[in-house]
Amino acid sequence: MCGIVGYIGRQQAYPILIKGLHRLEYRGYDSAGVALLNGAGQLNVYKAKGKVSELEAFAEEKDLSGTVGIAHTRWATHGEPNVKNAHPHCSMSEQLAMIHNGIIENYESLRRMLLNEGFRFRSDTDTEVLVQLIEYVYNKEQTDLPTAVRTALRQVSGAYAIAVIDRRNPDMVVAARKGSPLVVGVGDGELFLASDATPIVEYTPNIVYIGDEQMVILERGKQPKVQMLDGKEVQYEVKHLSLSIDQLEKGGFDHFMLKEIFEQPATLRAALQGGEEGRGGTSLVERMLPDFVRHKERFLNAQRIIITACGTSWHAGLIAKYALEEFARIPCEVDYSSEFRYRQPVVSEHDVVIAISQSGETADTLAAIELAKQQGALICSVCNVHGSSIPRLSDGCFYTHAGPEIGVASTKAFTSQVIVLTMLALAVGREKGVLLEERFASLTEELQRLPQKVETVLQQDDTIRAFASTYTFAHDAIYLGRGYNFPVALEGALKLKEISYIHSEGYPAGEMKHGPIALVSPEMPVVVIATQGATYDKVVSNILEIKARKGRIISIVTEGDRQVRDVSEFSVEVPATDECLSPIINVVPLQLLSYHVAVSKGCDVDQPRNLAKSVTVE
């Protein structure tokens, strides 16, 4: 989950590296560092605890010259966040410097071996073990840097994306990956390296995605050279990335999270248009789901659909389960990826596995689909990032086209996932003949009205902000929903705890009487999604039970609903829609509520403590 960036070319590296770290800071912000090689063969390494701005302040008066360098922003795994454990790490001779995203699982045995060989360690990290191992191989075998890196990595267990520079060779950067993302930018006489494309697109749209267990050699004035770890050359494709700098800026909003909440009408429209792969499609299904058309028979004959995901994406998967079972009449299971991969699941060639991941790099989800693929299942993914690992490993991908999501707490990615998955359920049901054409047409028409209805909800931002400032007293909160909106309750509770650090839990409203009602008190807010639907009357009864025990009700209701509003301390009215589509509308006020509560408490909503955007380690 750390962010790595590198540069070799004609320009001074430091400004490019620092700007790149700012772009990648959503991946980790415990500490940051930079290593620069100048023309005299001098290696300068600067590190600081905290955010990238702390590194900038520390390095302000230092020698920042050099046209080759690597930099890192850390999310701590091995060793507490401090300067000693910050990257880059140097070898004992200080000839080599390395940055690393991932976990070296066998670092302890390697460390003991190196100690026996006379190596000394300065940090508590697994990363320093790897750079020392590279130096050990380098010196023992009297070889070059690429060979030393390749040989060392064959002794390593775990996940990594690394970049190494050598003061004896100031015209080369060597990088490699296994399980953690890595991309190369190809410019005019200059090469860039990063965890994802966001630090690169300002300088070049030409991107090379490095594959798993591959190494790339970046040499000054040359094209990248990609190899497998056994040394075999790899032919690669240079992709042209359509990503604007405006998408990576706040655009006048105070935080990326708020910007991304307000982008949802546009991102929902983008999902409905289907992006480049949907161009030329004559129907909504062809535009949104071209890979469904390609694998239609496997979906229609599926005995079961298994959805695997983590965090917010898991909540989107729960909503998809309701839709797939209602409209396609196919049994559906939803698994946490971290559990699926270890519980010896029963998977067959008659199953379809759908992996959901905003980044396309989630380590547990990658491992889950590798397992399912070995057992013959069709693997389809729902992903936001073109060229990422999960789509590349999948038989088909349904892209969400939400654009870069920088805020750590996912918002627009969630609603884009839900709209794509809902459309998939409708398409499968229609093709199977279990969803009538009239109902399909009605729901797809309503899908296309959702962006406008979300805009209506966003117009209530000022009202929600004013109320949220009174909510900061809370230490705990409960979120309730039923049916399609039970996963929305889970997502609302997750958003609140992620960014405001208020303990919050989501429950099916019908489960209140089976334990959680014991927590109700005048001090604890209870957020209830009570829009019109099949279980509306049941939800009203649950609300009255809470009210009778002096609970504080915050409700999401359908426009014109007075019954729930009259017993609520605060209500947000949302436009009416079909119940199966209501999660896309109902989650928006919960996103705004969480955001404004966190801001009122003075929390850093874009970079909440202990969290990072893309979980590329177990």
Side-chain angles (χ1 to χ4, degrees):
M1 291 188 285
C2 308
I4 67 176
V5 60
Y7 174 80
I8 183 168
R10 301 184 304 267
Q11 302 184 61
Q12 289 296 303
Y14 178 77
I16 295 169
L17 297 175
I18 284 294
K19 187 176 286 187
L21 289 185
H22 279 297
R23 298 255 192 250
L24 290 173
E25 199 164 17
Y26 67 91
R27 299 180 67 92
Y29 29 90
D30 291 336
S31 59
V34 60
L36 301 164
L37 269 174
N38 63 26
Q42 183 177 356
L43 176 64
N44 290 315
V45 177
Y46 307 117
K47 303 192 282 189
K49 180 182 177 180
K51 297 187 177 181
V52 176
S53 57
E54 300 294 327
L55 172 63
E56 283 185 282
F58 175 74
E60 191 170 346
E61 302 299 325
K62 305 292 192 300
D63 178 3
L64 302 176
S65 63
T67 56
V68 58
I70 54 177
H72 187 271
T73 181
R74 184 174 186 238
W75 187 85
T77 52
H78 288 77
E80 67 178 77
N82 56 29
V83 174
K84 177 179 71 171
N85 292 326
H87 300 212
H89 287 283
C90 292
S91 61
M92 190 170 67
S93 70
E94 299 191 347
Q95 297 286 347
L96 304 180
M98 189 183 86
I99 53 177
H100 169 220
N101 174 22
I103 293 177
I104 306 304
E105 295 173 353
N106 62 333
Y107 80 100
E108 191 57 53
S109 61
L110 293 171
R111 181 186 177 97
R112 287 195 299 269
M113 182 273 289
L114 291 166
L115 285 169
N116 290 335
E117 294 291 336
F119 281 80
R120 299 185 304 277
F121 292 87
R122 306 178 184 92
S123 77
D124 305 317
T125 69
D126 55 336
T127 301
E128 189 187 5
V129 173
L130 181 52
V131 72
Q132 302 279 38
L133 178 63
I134 293 169
E135 176 158 281
Y136 171 70
V137 173
Y138 203 149
N139 294 335
K140 181 180 180 182
E141 300 190 5
Q142 293 294 295
T143 187
D144 58 14
L145 180 62
T147 303
V149 171
R150 187 184 303 115
T151 303
L153 289 177
R154 288 202 293 268
Q155 302 177 47
V156 162
S157 299
Y160 53 79
I162 65 168
V164 189
I165 56 176
D166 178 4
R167 64 185 300 179
R168 293 159 292 192
N169 190 348
D171 295 316
M172 178 183 289
V173 179
V174 176
R177 65 153 293 198
K178 178 184 177 183
S180 294
L182 193 65
V183 300
V184 170
V186 182
D188 182 10
E190 55 188 357
L191 297 168
F192 306 82
L193 183 76
S195 298
D196 61 45
T198 54
I200 296 174
V201 292
E202 181 175 350
Y203 307 100
T204 176
N206 300 316
I207 302 296
V208 178
Y209 293 97
I210 306 303
D212 218 31
E213 299 193 49
Q214 291 182 354
M215 186 173 81
V216 59
I217 302 167
L218 308 181
E219 293 186 85
R220 193 185 304 276
K222 298 181 181 180
Q223 292 296 298
K225 182 187 294 184
V226 182
Q227 303 174 339
M228 300 302 296
L229 290 184
D230 61 6
K232 182 180 178 180
E233 293 291 322
V234 174
Q235 299 299 312
Y236 58 85
E237 181 181 359
V238 179
K239 302 274 191 181
H240 186 86
L241 196 65
S242 299
L243 182 63
S244 70
I245 295 300
D246 289 346
Q247 292 176 287
L248 306 177
E249 304 293 346
K250 292 179 184 175
F253 288 90
D254 290 337
H255 297 92
F256 280 108
M257 183 180 179
L258 187 60
K259 177 195 176 192
E260 289 156 6
I261 292 171
F262 272 82
E263 284 178 338
Q264 286 175 113
T267 55
L268 292 171
R269 291 187 181 101
L272 291 164
Q273 288 301 314
E276 289 186 7
E277 64 266 24
R279 287 180 184 172
T282 58
S283 69
L284 187 59
V285 174
E286 290 171 330
R287 290 202 307 272
M288 289 184 71
L289 309 168
D291 276 1
F292 164 69
V293 177
R294 189 156 63 93
H295 295 289
K296 181 169 67 175
E297 293 306 314
R298 290 289 298 272
F299 273 93
L300 298 185
N301 295 317
Q303 294 181 357
R304 179 179 58 159
I305 293 176
I306 302 169
I307 297 174
T308 182
C310 303
T312 285
S313 295
W314 187 78
H315 298 155
L318 287 178
I319 295 169
K321 171 184 169 70
Y322 282 89
L324 284 162
E325 293 191 341
E326 177 178 355
F327 299 121
R329 306 305 297 156
I330 300 175
C332 183
E333 299 176 7
V334 186
D335 258 301
Y336 284 114
S337 299
S338 56
E339 291 296 311
F340 179 86
R341 61 178 296 195
Y342 289 117
R343 68 170 177 82
Q344 300 184 18
V346 178
V347 183
S348 79
E349 67 274 14
H350 303 296
D351 295 328
V352 173
V353 173
I354 300 175
I356 313 173
S357 169
Q358 188 281 140
S359 68
E361 302 291 351
T362 310
D364 285 319
T365 305
L366 267 168
I369 63 176
E370 286 172 346
L371 174 63
K373 199 176 184 76
Q374 292 168 6
Q375 298 184 37
L378 176 72
I379 309 297
C380 287
S381 52
V382 177
C383 185
N384 189 34
V385 181
H386 286 255
S388 53
S389 297
I390 288 174
R392 294 207 306 269
L393 191 61
S394 302
D395 298 304
C397 183
F398 312 125
Y399 284 105
T400 55
H401 310 290
E405 188 177 65
I406 307 300
V408 167
S410 183
T411 52
K412 65 177 182 175
F414 173 76
T415 50
S416 296
Q417 289 168 351
V418 173
I419 201 169
V420 167
L421 288 161
T422 302
M423 190 65 223
L424 176 65
L426 298 178
V428 176
R430 179 203 199 187
E431 292 295 329
K432 285 188 67 176
V434 295
L435 177 63
L436 296 178
E437 185 66 33
E438 182 179 355
R439 176 76 167 136
F440 175 85
S442 171
L443 287 172
T444 53
E445 287 174 9
E446 180 63 12
L447 270 176
Q448 295 177 87
R449 287 191 281 266
L450 288 180
Q452 179 61 50
K453 292 187 176 185
V454 169
E455 287 176 349
T456 301
V457 177
L458 292 170
Q459 292 170 8
Q460 301 180 66
D461 179 51
D462 287 342
T463 303
I464 295 171
R465 181 174 65 244
F467 171 75
S469 63
T470 68
Y471 195 179
T472 56
F473 71 89
H475 296 288
D476 304 277
I478 289 178
Y479 285 66
L480 302 176
R482 294 189 84 143
Y484 281 94
N485 284 295
F486 161 52
V488 178
L490 294 175
E491 176 62 11
L494 177 62
K495 286 286 107 37
L496 187 69
K497 73 177 72 169
E498 280 182 315
I499 61 172
S500 73
Y501 320 134
I502 294 173
H503 172 247
S504 51
E505 301 295 336
Y507 289 97
E511 286 297 299
M512 277 297 289
K513 295 184 292 293
H514 298 278
I517 201 167
L519 299 173
V520 171
S521 74
E523 289 75 42
M524 187 173 72
V526 181
V527 182
V528 187
I529 303 150
T531 48
Q532 295 291 334
T535 58
Y536 173 77
D537 290 338
K538 302 292 185 184
V539 174
V540 172
S541 296
N542 298 139
I543 290 172
L544 294 176
E545 290 165 356
I546 296 164
K547 191 70 176 177
R549 290 157 179 83
K550 302 188 185 305
R552 304 178 69 162
I553 305 295
I554 299 164
S555 60
I556 311 299
V557 301
T558 305
E559 286 177 346
D561 184 321
R562 298 292 179 266
Q563 185 176 7
V564 174
R565 195 186 72 175
D566 288 348
V567 296
S568 301
E569 181 177 331
F570 178 73
S571 286
V572 179
E573 295 190 24
V574 299
T577 190
D578 193 282
E579 186 175 10
C580 70
L581 307 181
S582 64
I584 293 170
I585 295 175
N586 293 344
V587 77
V588 176
L590 302 184
Q591 294 169 347
L592 289 170
L593 180 63
S594 299
Y595 170 79
H596 288 302
V597 169
V599 171
S600 295
K601 291 187 67 176
C603 300
D604 187 342
V605 297
D606 282 340
Q607 297 174 355
R609 69 188 183 204
N610 302 333
L611 295 177
K613 183 66 176 174
S614 179
V615 184
T616 58
V617 296
E618 293 185 53

